Amino acid sequence: MAGCLVAGAVSVGAGTYFGWDGFTIQSGNLIVIVVMIILFVLALVLPFPGGKRRK
Amino acid sequence: MTAQTTPGHGAPVDETDAHTWTGRARRWLLRKLPPDKLLPEDQPSFVASWAYVFGMGAIGSLLWIIVSGIVLGLNGPQWYHVSSLGSFVNSTHLWSVELFFIFMVVHLWLKFWMAAWRGGRLLTWITGVISFVVSIVAAFTGYLLQTNFDSQWIAFEAKDALNAVGVGAWFNVANVGQLFTWHVTLLPVAVGAVVVLHVLLVRVHGVAPPLEAAESDAQLLHNRPGATEPPEPAEPPEATEPRGTVQ
Ligand code: HEM
């Protein structure tokens, strides 16, 4: 059972890190944060489809 | 008993005449959340904005998290850590969690910048905060169930903190069976319950108006929550240009 639990566990790579002056961030975390900021800005500026139909 | 005075099935019941706890509970529920508030057909025109969509986005991802999680749990790790279909379903579970958190955080930013706790909606905000915290714990136990070197690292980083706050004996990151139970029963039920409460509170209060909406706005008067709540303080008079109504 314990063997099966870990059987699919592939070794995890070290990941890609970006850093500037003592600040480092892993690529996945950076991507998620950037995506959230883009979605936030788009939610404010994009018109809502069908919104004009409503009086 | 009171057979003669009790109205028959379908007869209108005088709601002021509740004399049992069930009757009082029904009266309270119907006053707080009448059916037309629970399942409305119209919303004020300002709701036609992407800013109001992300809560539903989080619910949508949560639904897929739950469906895929049930499939994973019923088939077991021998399936999801070994077969390719199992790995695929496992991956959709993970990616819907990523979407869930992305939508939830964008939702929370949007609600923060429109101060959506105004007008007696503080409990809506607080249930949002609780759902965020409980979701993080649920995700944490999920990462531990990967049972790879990542989860080993996460578990033993967290172990000292859990011991320091005194819960290490009951919430043992080194016990996979216990974590499995937390992850597939208690924490999902907790997230689900808080989200249901959160959405019911949104329905009770109606959707928060934009910051620049005027107190005299016809749509706000129409959507004002029940008389149990004081009206919001008046907005500055320069914001009184009229708005259309939806009906
Ligand atoms: C499990 C995650 C969550 C789900 C599924 C969820 C769902 C929703 C939904 C469907 C709505 C109504 C539609 C909308 O405005 O988007 C809503 C409203 C709201 N949410 Fe959330 N939410 C979550 C987390 C949060 C968090 C973390 C916060 C803030 C800390 C928050 C604060 C609010 C507030 C204040 C409202 C009321 C907005 C209004 O009345 O217009 N929510 N939520």
Side-chain angles (χ1 to χ4, degrees):
Chain A
M1 179 66 188
C4 286
L5 271 175
V6 295
V10 279
S11 68
V12 185
T16 311
Y17 288 81
F18 303 100
W20 303 266
D21 293 324
F23 171 79
T24 44
I25 186 163
Q26 198 255 338
S27 58
N29 293 337
L30 182 67
I31 292 169
V32 167
I33 293 169
V34 169
V35 165
M36 290 190 303
I37 293 172
I38 292 173
L39 281 177
F40 178 80
V41 173
L42 287 181
L44 296 183
V45 299
L46 281 189
F48 193 73
K52 279 177 229 79
R53 224 174 5 89
R54 317 203 73 179
K55 286 167 284 155
Chain B
M1 286 173 72
T2 54
Q4 306 98 309
T5 54
T6 309
H9 286 296
V13 180
D14 181 4
E15 287 297 336
T16 55
D17 191 30
H19 53 278
T20 56
W21 72 265
T22 46
R24 281 193 296 275
R26 182 191 62 234
R27 207 172 47 170
W28 182 82
L29 277 172
L30 284 175
R31 207 177 50 230
K32 277 277 174 203
L33 196 55
D36 53 329
K37 265 185 162 184
L38 177 64
L39 298 168
E41 289 185 81
D42 289 307
Q43 286 295 331
S45 55
F46 51 75
V47 179
S49 151
W50 289 108
Y52 293 89
V53 173
F54 286 86
M56 272 321 288
I59 290 185
S61 348
L62 182 60
L63 289 180
W64 184 253
I65 293 171
I66 291 167
V67 170
S68 58
I70 290 173
V71 174
L72 293 175
L74 290 179
N75 285 293
Q78 295 93 327
W79 178 71
Y80 62 70
H81 275 170
V82 178
S83 81
S84 48
L85 180 61
S87 300
F88 175 75
V89 177
N90 195 337
S91 299
T92 68
H93 188 70
L94 169 75
W95 283 104
S96 39
V97 171
E98 301 284 339
L99 279 179
F100 174 68
F101 274 94
I102 286 175
F103 288 146
M104 188 178 0
V105 170
V106 176
H107 172 69
L108 128 66
W109 287 347
L110 287 162
K111 298 302 145 184
F112 177 79
W113 288 108
M114 39 176 137
W117 53 79
R118 285 170 297 141
R121 294 177 180 82
L122 191 61
L123 212 51
T124 316
W125 177 263
I126 289 173
T127 49
V129 174
I130 296 174
S131 68
F132 190 46
V133 173
V134 179
S135 303
I136 290 173
V137 182
F140 170 67
T141 56
Y143 286 118
L144 297 181
L145 289 180
Q146 294 177 112
T147 50
N148 56 14
F149 287 123
D150 258 7
S151 31
Q152 191 182 44
W153 170 260
I154 298 167
F156 285 88
E157 289 295 303
K159 169 180 67 67
D160 293 340
L162 292 166
N163 288 340
V165 294
V167 298
W170 298 278
F171 192 88
N172 180 359
V173 288
N175 182 342
V176 174
Q178 192 201 71
L179 287 172
F180 196 85
T181 307
W182 275 106
H183 186 74
V184 305
T185 61
L186 302 176
L187 290 166
V189 167
V191 173
V194 179
V195 168
V196 166
L197 193 60
H198 184 70
V199 175
L200 286 181
L201 282 167
V202 175
R203 296 277 32 104
V204 165
H205 295 287
V207 176
L211 280 163
E212 66 270 25
E215 180 63 7
S216 57
D217 196 310
Q219 295 191 47
L220 302 191
L221 295 174
H222 173 68
N223 281 281
R224 162 111 40 241
T228 47
E229 229 175 78
E232 278 179 60
E235 299 287 334
E238 62 266 25
T240 48
E241 93 255 33
R243 272 156 198 278
T245 53
V246 264
Q247 214 46 250

